[in-house]
Amino acid sequence: MDHKQVAADVVKAVGKDNMVAAAHCATRLRLVLKDESKVDQKALDANDGVKGTFSTNGQFQIIIGPGDVNNVYDYLIKETGLKEVSTDDLKQIAAKNQKFNPVMAFIKLLSDIFVPIIPALVAGGLLMALNNVFTSKFGSESIIQMYPALKGISSMISVMSAAPYTFLPILVGVSAAKRFGANQYLGAFVGMMMTITATNPDAIKGIAYWNLFGLHVSYAAYTSQVIPALAAVWLLSVFEKWFHKHLPSAVDFTFTPLLSVLLTGFLTFIIVGPVMRELSNWLTDGIVWVYNTLGFVGTGIFGAVYSPIVLTGLHQSFPAIETQLVSAFANGKGSGDFIFVVASMANVAQGAATTAVYFLTKDSKMKGLSSSSAVSALLGITEPAIFGVNLKLRFPFFCALVGSCVASTLAGLFHVIAASMGSAGFIGFISIYPKSIPFYLICELISFAIAFIITYLYGKSHMQLVDGDVVAGADDNAATVAAAEETTTTAPSAGADVVTIASPVSGQVEDLSQVNDEVFSQKMMGDGAAVVPSDGTIYAPADGTLSVAYATKHAYGITADNGAEILIHAGIDTVNLEGQHMESFVEQGQTVKKGDKLGTIDLEAVKAAGYDTTVMVILTNTANYQTVSRDADGEVTHGDDLFTAAK
C-alpha cells in the first residue's frame, strides 16, 4: 500500500478544511469533521486502500487495516497540520461537536441488546408457529383432533416454544448486562428473579404481595417483559460499577455481586418493575391503537417505508415491540404481530427486485451476487440484496417499495397478522395465524410480482449497456458507469491452501455478528470469530511474525508462517485506555510460536472502566480464501482450534 497516496486521497475526499481532529486505533482512522455531508463517499469507496467507512458517536471512521493505519495517519497529520490526539481526546472532541439524539441512542441500545438474542426468539417463534399448525382447526377439526397420536408431540413443542418468551427477562438480562458493562451472569440472575416470583409459595396460596414494614410490594411475575428487565439490568450495572470502584479488592469479589443484586432486587420489585411494566403496556397499547385506527392505510405506509428503515438500522428495535404483541396475542389480547407481516412483504419485494436484476444482467459476478442475495431476501435477510445489488443500481430498491406498499395495504385490508415471530419471508407463513395464511401467501405473491415486473420493465427500457451488460440507469452519471467497469483482483498470498487459527484466549466463543462494533460485526476487516474471555492472558494463535504490537497493548497483528494475516483485538474501544490494565510481553517484528504469551488484560478492571472485554480474532486477508468456518462453539481453551480458512 502506498501510505502517502492513501492519506492524500483521504484528505481530498474528506476535505482538509473539513477536519477538526484525527486519531487512529489498531484498524481505522477516527476523524471528527465539521460536516460529514461534504465527504466524497464515492471516492473513498473506490479507493483500494480503504476497506470501509462508517459514522458513529460523532466520529467518521475510515477502515485501513492493522499495520497500515498508523503509517497513513502519520502522512495525514503531516499533510493537514492537525495536532496528534489520543482516541480518548478525540472522543471528547466528538462529544462537544455532536448533537445528542436520545431517540437514536435508545434505538441503537435496543439494537445492541436484541440482535444477539434474535436467534432464540426466532427459534421459539417458529416452534410456536409449528404448534399452531397442529392445534388450529382446518375445517371442523385440528390436526391433533384428527390424529390423536400427535398430541404428545404438540404438547412438547408447545413447552419448548414458550421457553424463550416466558423467560425473556433472562435472555434480556444476559445481553443487556454485556451491553451495559455488567457481569452477564448477574444479569441472568436479575432476569431469573423477575420470572421466578410466580413459583413463590405465597403466590400459590393466593397472597399477592410482600409486607415490608407495612408497604405492600407486589410479586407478580415479569415473564415476557422487556422494558422492566432492561431497566433492572441497567440499575444492576450502575451498582456493580460503583462497588467495583469503591470497595477494597479484599472484599470486592464477594460483596459487589451480593450488594448489587440485593439493591437491584429491592428497587426492581418496589419501584422500577411496576413503573416500567406500566410504560411497556402503554407502548404496546399505543401501537395497537395506531394499527386499529389507521388500518390498511397504516400498513400500506409502513410497507412503503420499511426498507428505508432497514437502511438506518432502526428495524433492529422492532423485536422489543413484537415480543409484546406476540405475548399479548397468546394471552387472548391485542391484534397480533402486524409488524412481522409488513416486514415479510418488504423483504419479498426486495428479493423480487434482485431476482429481476439477475435476469437483466449478463455479468457472471452480478448474476452470482443477485441470485444468492435474492434467495436470502426471500427467506427474510435483505441486507445482501439491498446493499449489494438494489442500492447500487438505485431503481430496483425503489421499485421494490411499490410492491411492498401495495402488498402491505392488502394485508392490512385482510387483517393478516402473525401469532409468533419467525423468518420474515416466504416461509414466514407458519408464523401466521392459520386463518390468515391463504391471504398472507396471496399478498406475498403480489408483492413479488409487482416488484419483479416493475423492476424488469424499467430496467429493460432505462438501463445502459457497458461492454454488453446492463449496469446502471440511464440517468446515472459517467462516474457510476466508470465504477461499474472497474474490476478488482486480489492476488493470493503464499501459504497453505487450508489454515487453522487457534484461540488466543480461553472463554466463550461468539459469532462475529454478535460483537458490539460495526467494523467487526459486519466483517469489514475480515472474517473470523470472537471470544468472551474467562482468563486475561493472550497467547499467539499461530507461528509467525508480529507485524503489529501497539503501544496501547490492546491489539496484535501476526503474519503467520502459513500465509494467514491475523488481528487479535482485545476488547472494544479499549484503545481509549491507552494501555491501562494491560501488559504486553512482545515487540513488533518479533518471531512468535503458537502458544507464546503475547500479553494480559485485567478483565475486571477493564469492565469496571465501562469497556467490553470481548476478544476479536480476525483473518484480515480473508479475500485470499474461499471459505472461513468456525471450528469451536461454547467454551474454548487457548490453543484450541477456533476457525479454519480454505483457498
Side-chain angles (χ1 to χ4, degrees):
M1 178 187 293
D2 187 339
H3 301 119
K4 185 176 182 179
Q5 185 59 50
V6 172
D9 292 342
V10 168
V11 172
K12 183 179 179 181
V14 171
K16 184 176 180 179
D17 296 333
N18 194 29
M19 299 173 65
V20 176
H24 76 91
C25 57
T27 58
R28 61 201 102 153
L29 296 173
R30 296 171 175 240
L31 311 177
V32 176
L33 306 178
K34 296 176 183 176
D35 186 354
E36 292 187 8
S37 66
K38 294 181 179 180
V39 174
D40 187 347
Q41 189 62 50
K42 288 184 178 179
L44 291 175
D45 292 341
N47 194 306
D48 292 336
V50 175
K51 294 181 172 63
T53 66
F54 69 99
S55 180
T56 181
N57 297 325
Q59 296 181 25
F60 186 76
Q61 301 191 15
I62 303 175
I63 305 160
I64 303 296
D68 292 312
V69 66
N70 50 324
N71 294 320
V72 172
Y73 176 75
D74 289 341
Y75 282 113
L76 182 143
I77 291 297
K78 290 178 182 177
E79 182 162 339
T80 59
L82 291 172
K83 180 183 177 182
E84 293 190 40
V85 297
S86 68
T87 52
D88 195 42
D89 292 335
L90 191 81
K91 189 176 181 180
Q92 295 178 24
I93 295 170
K96 291 179 182 178
N97 287 6
Q98 185 182 22
K99 293 181 180 179
F100 179 70
N101 187 328
V103 175
M104 291 298 295
F106 180 69
I107 289 173
K108 185 179 187 303
L109 175 70
L110 289 179
S111 172
D112 292 341
I113 292 171
F114 271 90
V115 167
I117 66 176
I118 282 177
L121 297 178
V122 169
L126 291 176
L127 286 171
M128 194 180 296
L130 180 59
N131 189 55
N132 288 340
V133 174
F134 280 116
T135 58
S136 297
K137 290 185 178 182
F138 296 92
S140 60
E141 292 183 312
S142 66
I143 292 178
I144 59 173
Q145 288 176 322
M146 290 185 283
Y147 305 98
L150 297 177
K151 187 174 181 179
I153 295 176
S154 174
S155 179
M156 185 179 292
I157 291 175
S158 177
V159 170
M160 290 189 288
S161 68
Y165 294 97
T166 301
F167 301 106
L168 184 60
I170 299 176
L171 294 177
V172 172
V174 172
S175 188
K178 180 178 179 180
R179 173 62 179 80
F180 293 138
N183 184 291
Q184 290 178 260
Y185 299 102
L186 292 183
F189 191 153
V190 170
M192 292 173 188
M193 289 192 309
M194 300 180 73
T195 55
I196 202 171
T197 49
T199 65
N200 188 300
D202 287 339
I204 296 173
K205 294 176 184 178
I207 302 172
Y209 58 85
W210 289 293
N211 189 339
L212 305 183
F213 304 105
L215 176 66
H216 291 178
V217 179
S218 170
Y219 46 65
Y222 290 89
T223 54
S224 304
Q225 292 287 328
V226 174
I227 295 179
L230 288 174
V233 176
W234 174 81
L235 196 61
L236 169 76
S237 71
V238 173
F239 286 132
E240 187 183 357
K241 290 174 185 177
W242 193 91
F243 286 123
H244 273 312
K245 185 176 181 180
H246 291 87
L247 288 183
S249 57
V251 297
D252 178 43
F253 180 80
T254 301
F255 286 97
T256 291
L258 170 64
L259 295 173
S260 299
V261 169
L262 187 63
L263 290 173
T264 299
F266 272 101
L267 287 175
T268 295
F269 287 119
I270 295 172
I271 301 174
V272 175
V275 171
M276 290 297 107
R277 182 171 56 192
E278 195 63 29
L279 177 63
S280 180
N281 291 337
W282 286 350
L283 177 63
T284 303
D285 292 344
I287 291 173
V288 171
W289 178 85
V290 171
Y291 171 70
N292 290 335
T293 302
L294 296 180
F296 67 90
V297 175
T299 57
I301 295 172
F302 193 16
V305 300
Y306 185 86
S307 291
I309 288 175
V310 171
L311 299 182
T312 69
L314 302 186
H315 68 300
Q316 301 290 6
S317 65
F318 291 157
I321 301 171
E322 290 184 84
T323 53
Q324 299 292 101
L325 295 175
V326 168
S327 297
F329 188 75
N331 293 322
K333 302 176 183 178
S335 303
D337 185 3
F338 60 90
I339 297 176
F340 176 87
V341 176
V342 172
S344 298
M345 301 306 151
N347 293 348
V348 166
Q350 292 295 334
T354 310
T355 304
V357 172
Y358 171 82
F359 288 102
L360 287 168
T361 186
K362 296 178 182 178
D363 179 71
S364 58
K365 184 177 179 180
M366 178 59 80
K367 272 189 175 293
L369 178 61
S370 58
S371 61
S372 60
S373 57
V375 171
S376 175
L378 294 176
L379 294 177
I381 306 297
T382 57
E383 281 81 358
I386 290 176
F387 293 104
V389 179
N390 295 349
L391 279 180
K392 283 186 176 180
L393 300 179
R394 301 182 188 178
F395 74 90
F397 179 78
F398 294 101
C399 291
L401 300 186
V402 178
S404 175
C405 177
V406 173
S408 296
T409 300
L410 292 175
L413 189 62
F414 294 142
H415 299 290
V416 179
I417 51 95
S420 63
M421 295 177 67
S423 180
F426 267 124
I427 65 172
F429 70 90
I430 64 173
S431 296
I432 301 300
Y433 189 61
K435 292 182 179 179
S436 298
I437 290 177
F439 296 113
Y440 174 85
L441 294 175
I442 291 172
C443 291
E444 292 277 70
L445 291 172
I446 290 173
S447 180
F448 184 94
I450 292 176
F452 179 90
I453 292 171
I454 294 177
T455 303
Y456 188 82
L457 293 178
Y458 184 92
K460 272 291 188 182
S461 59
H462 288 78
M463 292 178 71
Q464 292 179 344
L465 294 177
V466 175
D467 294 333
D469 185 34
V470 177
V471 296
D475 57 344
D476 289 342
N477 56 33
T480 306
V481 176
E485 292 176 315
E486 292 180 3
T487 57
T488 302
T489 59
T490 304
S493 62
D497 289 339
V498 178
V499 299
T500 299
I501 308 303
S503 177
V505 292
S506 300
Q508 183 77 22
V509 179
E510 282 191 350
D511 191 85
L512 280 181
S513 63
Q514 295 179 269
V515 173
N516 188 28
D517 187 305
E518 290 183 65
V519 170
F520 299 114
S521 63
Q522 296 184 19
K523 302 181 181 180
M524 296 181 187
M525 287 300 307
D527 209 339
V531 181
V532 179
S534 57
D535 180 83
T537 306
I538 303 171
Y539 300 87
D543 298 345
T545 303
L546 274 168
S547 54
V548 173
Y550 283 99
T552 47
K553 307 170 188 176
H554 75 293
Y556 303 89
I558 296 177
T559 302
D561 294 342
N562 57 23
E565 296 175 9
I566 309 161
L567 170 67
I568 304 165
H569 198 287
I572 296 174
D573 285 334
T574 45
V575 63
N576 296 330
L577 293 173
E578 299 184 349
Q580 293 182 61
H581 315 308
M582 302 180 192
E583 290 292 335
S584 179
F585 309 122
V586 291
E587 296 179 353
Q588 188 168 324
Q590 181 178 330
T591 300
V592 294
K593 292 291 185 182
K594 176 183 175 183
D596 285 353
K597 189 182 292 187
L598 302 180
T600 60
I601 174 173
D602 186 335
L603 299 178
E604 293 305 318
V606 171
K607 288 178 183 177
Y611 292 91
D612 188 325
T613 58
T614 302
V615 175
M616 283 64 67
V617 188
I618 309 298
L619 185 67
T620 56
N621 61 336
T622 296
N624 295 342
Y625 298 87
Q626 294 293 325
T627 60
V628 177
S629 56
R630 205 167 74 237
D631 298 323
D633 282 302
E635 290 292 329
V636 67
T637 301
H638 72 83
D640 292 348
D641 292 348
L642 186 60
F643 61 84
T644 298
K647 290 184 178 179

